[in-house]
Amino acid sequence: MKTAEDARRRALRLRAQIEDANYRYYVLDEPSIADAEYDRLLRELEELERAHPELVAPDSPTQRVGARPASEFAEVRHEIPMLSLANAFRDEEVADFVRRIEDTLGVKDPAFSTEPKVDGLAISLRYEDGVFVRGATRGDGTTGEDVTANLRTVRAVPLHLRGHDWPRVLEVRGEVYMPKAAFAAYNAQALKRGEKTLANPRNGAAGSLRQLDPQVTARRPLAFFAYAVGVIDGGTLPPTHSQTLARLREWGFPVSGEIGLAHGLDGLLAYYRRIGARRDALPYEIDGVVYKLDRYDGQRAMGFVARAPRWALAHKFPAQEEMTTVEAIEVQIGRTGAATPVARLAPVPVAGVTVTNATLHNADQVARLDVRVGDTVIVRRAGDVIPEVVRVVPERRPRGTHPWQMPKHCPVCRSELVREEGEAVWRCSGGLYCPAQRKESIRHFASRRALDIEGLGERIVDDLVELGGVESVADLYRLRVDDLLAMKRRAEERDGTVPETVKKGRIASKWAENLIAAIARSKDTTLERFLYALGIPEVGEATAKALARHFGSLDALLAAGEAELTEVPDIGPVVAGCILAFFRERHNRAVIEALRAAGVRWPEHAPRRASAGPLAGKTVVLTGTLGAFTRDEAKERLEALGAKVAGSVSKKTSFVVAGSEAGSKLDKARELGVEIWDEARLQTFLEQHGG
Ligand code: IVH
């Protein structure tokens, strides 16, 4: 039996461990413990507090989810208003902004904090004596809503501050957002369960915070970035915004790793283009970048117009949502037979790409959105994600439209479309008899990120399956130039086109030779690509990579059971089940063997090899603001060379990269005698090593 004192000590220890895990995960971006371990610690603390209610403190990590739903939100008046930002779309508008600051302050090329404009919801967090006491939405800028109970459920929001040197009253402002992956996972689950999906991550964040029941908010995967301060009392801040952000990070607030420092117009535009190029790869949605004059004295001298500061500017990217009309709704059959309704659209440019098709996901989604042929709809395109229909504009619906229905038969092989109990997806029951499924699996196998067979385009795959006798991906490696030419002749007869193979014999055979050569080249691959290429349900690129790293060889993977599979990071019983089912299938084993026999090969290694590279085994810490790249870019490039990038300096640190205005970490490095690199040295090293 534990004494009260044992319990108290254990509770303190558990809290410290949980808080440390949160800090490492959300602020330093280097998770230190597995999710399961985190949950275990939290459960133990919950049980302990239940047995010893006197131990419960309002800032204990168990107190994130309040029990009682509110009936409405109280109003909060912002002592310092929450401003908005002036927008710019063109470079000239940015030039005007910079010129005005230079002229007013009489300086040339002043320093700006350059930040991603994260697409979420602005909030203000108030801390008194280091403890989180109130959180509010922006509202109209003067008055917002008290959403404290909901914000407490967001684990990236610290319940109390780290360190000691914080002001007695501190208001931190920033953006609550939903990461892209969390948004996609949430919607995939909702679609499966036939529930309402979220239109976009911003609506996801805003809707989640406006839930009256914090239990509902707690189930939404929200995150937070700090980017400004409001009221401070009983303390001071450094003279620049970038130093304040560094301070906020030390106090436990997540700050985007894409934030940097730039000088003058050229620096701002270079940042805009750099982040624009990385927009799709970022784990959260952004709708532009924000420039803020770094020095507070300069900010004060510039002042405000209406509701926006003259010292900051939002430089927006092109919109990702546009309006168009639905010309038809067709059904596409995927690799696994899933029947996906697709809207054929009047062509519309969305963020620089002409969109003509958008997915409607499944029959339930069509019913929920009530999309009909002839409707005007909002389409959305985000990164490489397939464009989707977000909603219908009901005012624009023409007369005489009808609700859409899933057809009874596969449009390709006429097999019945069936839907399993409790599933949202209809599937073609034709299996590999269905040419659509065969074609999709071949297309996937040949795609750029799989075996990358150049020239094996959609049309050729169609012809190979329809006329070339190709039944599985293994048949590709049996093809000869003559087979391709014969296939092409048959296609020409079928289509009644001019027989190129007769008229331009040499050109046609060149095409066939090139394709055969590309197929032959694809034999040299990596295990990771091969596993991805197989098209195992639930195994995308990331999972294929994790499997390849973990097992090192195909045979080790084939021999693995559920227990071994679930040891791989991020593989749970569901994915493990899909992998096992795939390899159990005789047909799949036969295809794999045929591929190996045809000479498809990859380097193998013993299970779980440590990473390689010129920085393998080195631990690096980044501090201060770098000029040429953001912290996240620097981190990525160092990791690509094998380094581990850590958030805090210790004796184990190999070297510290110090940018401008580096603070306590640089002091610590000096104290411990850790090697210190400046940015120039880092750049030279990266250039020399192609990082
Ligand atoms: S600063 C005084 N920084 O954009 C400046 N805002 O259009 C106040 N936002 O309401 C805002 N990322 O919701 C700032 N790095 C960033 C931001 C950011 C996103 C949002 C925020 C704000 C809106 C202004």
Side-chain angles (χ1 to χ4, degrees):
M1 178 69 201
K2 273 191 174 165
T3 67
E5 180 53 22
D6 287 342
R8 195 186 65 85
R9 269 203 226 121
R10 180 73 191 141
L12 285 180
R13 169 105 192 100
L14 286 166
R15 271 176 213 163
Q17 279 179 299
I18 292 166
E19 277 158 17
D20 188 61
N22 272 345
Y23 178 68
R24 286 179 187 279
Y25 187 90
Y26 291 104
V27 182
L28 302 183
D29 192 19
E30 49 179 55
S32 55
I33 61 173
D35 288 358
E37 174 68 3
Y38 183 93
D39 292 341
R40 200 187 58 71
L41 294 174
L42 198 61
R43 261 200 314 278
E44 186 185 340
L45 183 60
E46 273 165 3
E47 278 161 27
L48 205 58
E49 290 181 351
R50 211 172 303 128
H52 301 268
E54 72 282 3
L55 294 178
V56 181
D59 58 350
S60 167
T62 57
Q63 302 303 300
R64 285 197 176 266
V65 189
R68 260 163 297 113
S71 53
E72 62 179 305
F73 297 116
E75 281 191 355
V76 174
R77 260 191 90 77
H78 300 298
E79 233 174 279
I80 296 185
M82 291 183 73
L83 302 169
S84 59
L85 294 168
N87 286 331
F89 289 92
R90 293 176 302 115
D91 292 359
E92 299 82 79
E93 296 169 279
V94 182
D96 290 344
F97 162 76
V98 175
R99 193 172 322 115
R100 171 179 214 143
I101 292 176
E102 290 183 336
D103 292 351
T104 310
L105 302 181
V107 293
K108 184 92 191 96
D109 293 342
F112 289 92
S113 174
T114 50
E115 312 181 358
K117 189 169 185 302
V118 180
D119 210 1
L121 189 73
I123 54 146
S124 183
L125 304 169
R126 187 178 171 97
Y127 292 79
E128 290 176 4
D129 297 313
V131 177
F132 176 52
V133 292
R134 197 184 63 201
T137 60
R138 174 170 177 270
D140 63 6
T142 318
T143 312
E145 286 176 323
D146 183 334
V147 287
T148 311
N150 288 341
L151 284 169
R152 293 177 69 89
T153 70
V154 178
R155 284 186 189 168
V157 169
L159 294 181
H160 55 243
L161 304 182
R162 297 172 66 87
H164 297 287
D165 54 344
W166 20 261
R168 201 192 67 73
V169 177
L170 172 69
E171 263 178 30
V172 172
R173 279 147 187 203
E175 200 85 352
V176 164
Y177 67 95
M178 194 176 269
K180 284 180 194 168
F183 168 76
Y186 181 91
N187 271 358
Q189 276 300 320
L191 274 173
K192 253 190 201 159
R193 284 197 293 257
E195 288 168 11
K196 223 175 136 182
T197 52
L198 303 169
N200 54 47
R202 175 165 40 94
N203 289 3
S208 303
L209 276 193
R210 288 207 201 90
Q211 295 292 328
L212 286 170
D213 182 354
Q215 304 256 11
V216 176
T217 313
R219 287 195 291 272
R220 303 283 172 87
L222 299 179
F224 172 72
F225 277 140
Y227 53 61
V229 291
V231 175
I232 69 155
D233 196 5
T236 51
L237 288 177
T240 66
H241 175 69
S242 55
Q243 284 169 303
T244 296
L245 292 181
R247 200 57 70 76
L248 290 178
R249 227 167 98 86
E250 289 176 5
W251 291 334
F253 295 97
V255 174
S256 165
E258 301 298 335
I259 294 183
L261 211 54
H263 292 264
L265 178 63
D266 292 347
L268 300 189
L269 296 181
Y271 178 79
Y272 178 79
R273 307 216 199 296
R274 224 145 34 88
I275 295 291
R278 280 161 52 78
R279 181 182 189 183
D280 293 349
L282 294 181
Y284 40 84
E285 290 222 336
I286 61 175
D287 58 347
V289 298
V290 182
Y291 312 130
K292 297 174 185 165
L293 187 63
D294 198 35
R295 289 179 61 118
Y296 287 138
D297 54 3
Q299 291 189 359
R300 276 190 295 273
M302 291 307 300
F304 304 88
V305 258
R307 310 221 49 80
R310 280 210 184 88
W311 44 263
L313 184 71
H315 192 181
K316 305 281 281 273
F317 293 134
Q320 292 188 307
E321 286 185 3
E322 295 293 345
M323 213 176 345
T324 185
T325 52
V326 176
E327 295 180 336
I329 299 178
E330 291 170 8
V331 170
Q332 263 176 12
I333 305 298
R335 210 159 19 96
T336 57
T340 306
V342 176
R344 305 279 174 224
L345 305 168
V348 60
V350 187
V353 173
T354 302
V355 171
T356 52
N357 300 313
T359 179
L360 289 159
H361 296 292
N362 60 39
D364 289 351
Q365 178 80 346
V366 183
R368 218 169 10 247
L369 296 173
D370 189 20
V371 182
R372 305 178 185 192
V373 175
D375 268 343
T376 296
V377 292
I378 308 288
V379 285
R380 172 180 174 77
R381 182 187 152 260
D384 342 323
V385 184
I386 305 164
E388 60 176 0
V389 172
V390 180
R391 63 184 176 86
V392 171
V393 184
E395 311 84 89
R396 301 215 180 183
R397 172 167 289 167
R399 281 160 183 271
T401 60
H402 304 285
W404 184 80
Q405 274 194 324
M406 183 63 90
K408 300 258 177 303
H409 296 99
C410 169
V412 180
C413 72
R414 310 307 305 163
S415 304
E416 217 181 318
L417 291 181
V418 292
R419 160 139 117 171
E420 277 189 21
E421 190 70 27
E423 271 221 32
V425 187
W426 289 82
R427 282 178 206 281
C428 163
S429 54
L432 285 179
Y433 162 75
C434 176
Q437 293 182 49
R438 285 205 321 253
K439 287 175 188 170
E440 283 310 316
S441 69
I442 295 170
R443 268 183 207 128
H444 174 75
F445 185 84
S447 63
R448 203 167 49 77
R449 309 172 96 126
L451 284 220
D452 192 16
I453 305 179
E454 214 190 310
L456 199 60
E458 263 188 45
R459 290 277 285 284
I460 295 178
V461 172
D462 286 349
D463 289 347
L464 282 172
V465 170
E466 286 166 27
L467 308 165
V470 170
E471 302 219 321
S472 83
V473 292
D475 293 338
L476 293 175
Y477 294 91
R478 281 200 272 277
L479 289 172
R480 286 165 302 131
V481 171
D482 287 348
D483 299 325
L484 290 182
L485 293 179
M487 176 193 90
K488 182 116 183 172
R489 265 194 298 277
R490 268 177 246 133
E492 284 162 352
E493 275 165 37
R494 177 195 59 190
D495 303 340
T497 45
V498 187
E500 274 184 46
T501 40
V502 175
K503 280 202 346 208
K504 308 180 201 157
R506 220 185 52 77
I507 296 173
S509 70
K510 187 87 198 127
W511 154 81
E513 281 158 22
N514 286 345
L515 183 53
I516 296 294
I519 294 174
R521 269 199 309 277
S522 74
K523 286 182 189 172
D524 267 311
T525 187
T526 62
L527 179 55
E528 168 184 337
R529 278 177 178 267
F530 181 76
L531 292 176
Y532 173 63
L534 290 177
I536 306 166
E538 302 289 332
V539 176
E541 270 179 289
T543 308
K545 186 174 185 162
L547 287 169
R549 274 181 83 127
H550 187 91
F551 290 102
S553 71
L554 181 61
D555 289 319
L557 171 61
L558 290 175
E562 188 186 319
E564 285 110 325
L565 285 168
T566 48
E567 267 174 32
V568 182
D570 289 332
I571 293 191
V574 174
V575 179
C578 289
I579 296 169
L580 290 170
F582 183 89
F583 289 136
R584 255 199 311 270
E585 187 77 45
R586 284 241 308 274
H587 167 80
N588 292 336
R589 287 270 189 169
V591 169
I592 291 171
E593 282 324 312
L595 287 169
R596 285 215 266 201
V600 177
R601 60 179 177 251
W602 50 84
E604 301 205 325
H605 62 77
R608 253 174 297 178
R609 195 182 53 165
S611 64
L615 293 177
K618 299 254 188 276
T619 304
V620 183
V621 173
L622 298 168
T623 180
T625 315
L626 300 173
F629 17 57
T630 65
R631 201 172 57 229
D632 281 358
E633 280 169 325
K635 182 167 187 255
E636 247 173 54
R637 293 173 69 171
L638 285 162
E639 282 171 350
L641 298 180
K644 177 175 178 313
V645 178
S648 51
V649 180
S650 74
K651 274 188 295 206
K652 290 191 201 133
T653 308
S654 313
F655 60 91
V656 167
V657 179
S660 61
E661 280 147 10
S664 59
K665 285 180 199 166
L666 180 58
D667 298 341
K668 181 94 182 272
R670 291 206 179 103
E671 200 178 296
L672 295 173
V674 171
E675 191 178 5
I676 295 160
W677 288 22
D678 62 9
E679 186 174 345
R681 175 150 179 212
L682 174 68
Q683 256 185 327
T684 315
F685 186 89
L686 291 175
E687 276 159 25
Q688 279 167 356
H689 294 87

